[in-house]
Amino acid sequence: MDDLLLKRAVAAERSRFVAAAGTGDPAGAWRALERAHILSQPLLIPHLRVHGWMLIYALRLGDIREVAGQALRLALAPLGAVTGRTPAGNNGRARVSAFAPMAVPPDIQAILARALGAEGRLGRE
């Protein structure tokens, strides 16, 4: 697995998040965080970090439902990593099931395919 490729892709999405949040664009900020989440799923620490960013942003926005959902996902992420059952493409938001696979955007699919290489699948059911 090419951890560095994934970490760089997550960092790029974090930069997009910071820019969008800084200009008062919550839709753009969440979109960047969702993309960072999909990219981070194969790596436990970056995955937890993204959920932390989501939690902090939800607190900043006063979105109690999202705060609760992110707290739960922070607790569940290590279990998903240990069991290898992270749902492919799941955007990590509280408004979707933490267990539901979702479509992976084509550009992210390409990055994951390069990063995962011979390890195969883009996510786990």
Side-chain angles (χ1 to χ4, degrees):
M1 178 178 352
D2 188 345
D3 293 13
L4 186 57
L5 176 61
L6 290 176
K7 288 176 182 177
R8 285 181 177 158
V10 169
E13 293 300 335
R14 171 136 168 78
S15 293
R16 287 183 187 94
F17 157 68
V18 169
T23 61
D25 176 11
W30 279 117
R31 187 170 36 260
L33 287 172
E34 290 168 358
R35 290 172 55 81
H37 178 263
I38 297 166
L39 288 159
S40 73
Q41 281 183 310
L43 304 169
L44 178 59
I45 299 304
H47 187 191
L48 289 170
R49 194 172 291 130
V50 170
H51 280 297
W53 299 336
M54 289 177 157
L55 174 64
I56 291 166
Y57 191 54
L59 282 167
R60 210 160 90 192
L61 295 176
D63 186 340
I64 300 306
R65 177 180 176 188
E66 194 69 44
V67 168
Q70 292 310 318
L72 175 64
R73 282 158 177 77
L74 277 164
L76 290 175
L79 182 59
V82 168
T83 63
R85 296 186 55 86
T86 55
N90 187 287
N91 69 15
R93 294 289 305 277
R95 287 157 174 74
V96 300
S97 168
F99 307 104
M102 300 170 78
V104 178
D107 64 319
I108 292 178
Q109 205 170 43
I111 293 166
L112 288 170
R114 279 196 316 264
L116 298 177
E119 293 178 41
R121 296 168 39 169
L122 301 178
R124 283 134 321 264
E125 321 287 348

